[in-house]
Amino acid sequence: KEETELVLLNAGLEHVSSLWSTMPYKSEEYYFLPLTPVMKRTDDLGWKPLGVQLIANLREAHLLIPEHWRCSAKELATICRHLEALPITRNTKHLRKLFAKYRLYLYGYYVFMTGSYYAFLKYVDGLATRKRPSDRALLGEPLFRRLIATAREYCDEHPKVQKLEHLLRNVRRVRGRAIVFFADKSTARYCKEFLDERCILTETVFGGVGKSMVHQREAIDALREGSITALLATSVLHEGMSIPEVDLVLNYSVAYSSISRLQSSGRTGRVRPGRIAHLVLD
């Protein structure tokens, strides 16, 4: 109410009228995807033992860190503040290198499990290109190299990628339209190639450096005309663009905030009933 009154005051307006309308029905569903045998095997024989090893290395270097192999974001932030407060010595430099290696490992685990195997491989390529001490140290771990080999072997078999194909096939069957939101561009690009090879035509729409407004308009027009089934996008499509009515909004990646979730879901159910779906690794 206070914000509304402030807007009226700044605009020199005295009255505001309200119009109530009933919005079309939106259904919301979650797909909890079970771990595949490959994921279970890599979790038990690769990720977990490597995490236990890295935690043990940090504790041997006298860093106060929880013993479980996957620290939460809150725990990582606390450890970062602790390390930043320490005086710079040979020991603290060694600690920071070990901790940087552990954080790289955790991010790789997150991408491998919740993104795509392809995105994990692109992440690994980035580590190899940067050649930082912590990058080289992680790439030198035999268990980590085994995980890389597994990702290459089973690249197209990630459960999220498989479910995405299934859902978009159903959309295409009824000549519907969809928007799929991704957290990272590499997974979206990979999914476009994967889907195009299976005759599910899509276009990618990204923001940031190198974005093309012409390409964005052409992609949206293609969705409107029905020549493609879906737009694969990052948060650039959350707001500010005129997008045709879509039947399905699919959050491939878990929304990072309630605002993000609200904005993405607002792309359907405007003129006719729509669906919102979330892919979650169980």
Side-chain angles (χ1 to χ4, degrees):
K1 183 180 177 181
E2 291 175 353
E3 290 180 357
T4 303
E5 290 174 350
L6 184 61
V7 169
L8 295 176
L9 179 64
N10 290 336
L13 301 174
E14 296 181 358
H15 304 287
V16 59
S17 299
S18 298
L19 175 65
W20 291 86
S21 63
T22 303
M23 296 294 289
Y25 174 74
K26 291 184 188 181
S27 66
E28 189 164 13
E29 50 204 337
Y30 289 83
Y31 293 100
F32 292 96
L33 309 176
L35 293 179
T36 64
V38 170
M39 283 185 159
K40 289 179 180 177
R41 188 165 64 249
T42 58
D43 213 25
D44 294 336
L45 303 179
W47 290 109
K48 185 175 181 179
L50 180 55
V52 170
Q53 174 189 319
L54 295 177
I55 287 289
N57 292 341
L58 285 165
R59 293 180 70 84
E60 286 172 9
H62 307 294
L63 180 67
L64 296 175
I65 192 168
E67 292 188 21
H68 46 261
W69 61 283
R70 282 183 298 171
C71 286
S72 67
K74 186 176 181 180
E75 288 169 333
L76 290 177
T78 301
I79 297 165
C80 278
R81 288 193 296 269
H82 171 68
L83 284 175
E84 289 170 359
L86 294 175
I88 298 177
T89 64
R90 181 180 297 177
N91 183 53
T92 55
K93 287 181 179 179
H94 177 62
L95 267 177
R96 288 176 180 175
K97 177 183 172 181
L98 288 177
F99 185 62
K101 177 182 175 182
Y102 176 64
R103 292 185 70 181
L104 292 172
Y105 152 83
L106 278 182
Y107 185 74
Y109 177 80
Y110 170 78
V111 173
F112 185 99
M113 287 293 185
T114 68
S116 65
Y117 297 143
Y118 177 83
F120 171 72
L121 293 173
K122 294 298 289 183
Y123 173 64
V124 168
D125 290 344
L127 296 180
T129 302
R130 292 190 313 186
K131 298 180 180 179
R132 295 176 182 174
S134 55
D135 301 341
R136 292 197 299 267
L138 182 59
L139 291 172
E141 292 287 350
L143 285 172
F144 197 71
R145 291 200 299 271
R146 192 184 305 167
L147 291 165
I148 296 171
T150 300
R152 288 199 176 105
E153 183 178 357
Y154 298 97
C155 192
D156 290 345
E157 298 180 22
H158 195 285
K160 280 193 172 184
V161 175
Q162 297 288 321
K163 189 65 177 179
L164 172 65
E165 179 190 1
H166 172 74
L167 291 171
L168 291 187
R169 278 194 187 282
N170 291 339
V171 172
R172 187 188 63 177
R173 189 175 297 118
V174 297
R175 297 185 178 181
R177 305 184 184 102
I179 298 179
V180 187
F181 286 106
F182 295 84
D184 64 281
K185 296 177 183 178
S186 59
T187 297
R189 290 192 183 102
Y190 163 71
C191 286
K192 173 177 170 48
E193 294 179 6
F194 178 88
L195 294 166
D196 286 354
E197 288 174 359
R198 289 153 180 80
C199 300
I200 303 173
L201 301 182
T202 64
E203 285 291 345
T204 55
V205 179
F206 304 140
V209 178
K211 74 175 180 180
S212 168
M213 294 303 295
V214 173
H215 171 72
Q216 288 181 0
R217 286 194 295 269
E218 289 175 347
I220 292 171
D221 287 343
L223 186 70
R224 179 179 289 109
E225 294 162 4
S227 57
I228 61 173
T229 299
L231 294 177
L232 312 182
T234 52
S235 58
V236 67
L237 288 188
H238 278 179
E239 57 182 348
M241 289 192 184
S242 177
I243 298 176
E245 181 69 13
V246 298
D247 304 283
L248 171 68
V249 166
L250 178 61
N251 286 308
Y252 184 97
S253 308
V254 176
Y256 55 84
S257 70
S258 57
I259 294 296
S260 171
R261 177 174 167 172
L262 182 67
Q263 289 173 332
S264 64
S265 65
R267 291 308 183 179
T268 189
R270 294 186 171 200
V271 178
R272 60 177 183 263
R275 293 169 56 211
I276 305 155
H278 308 269
L279 298 187
V280 184
L281 202 69
D282 196 354

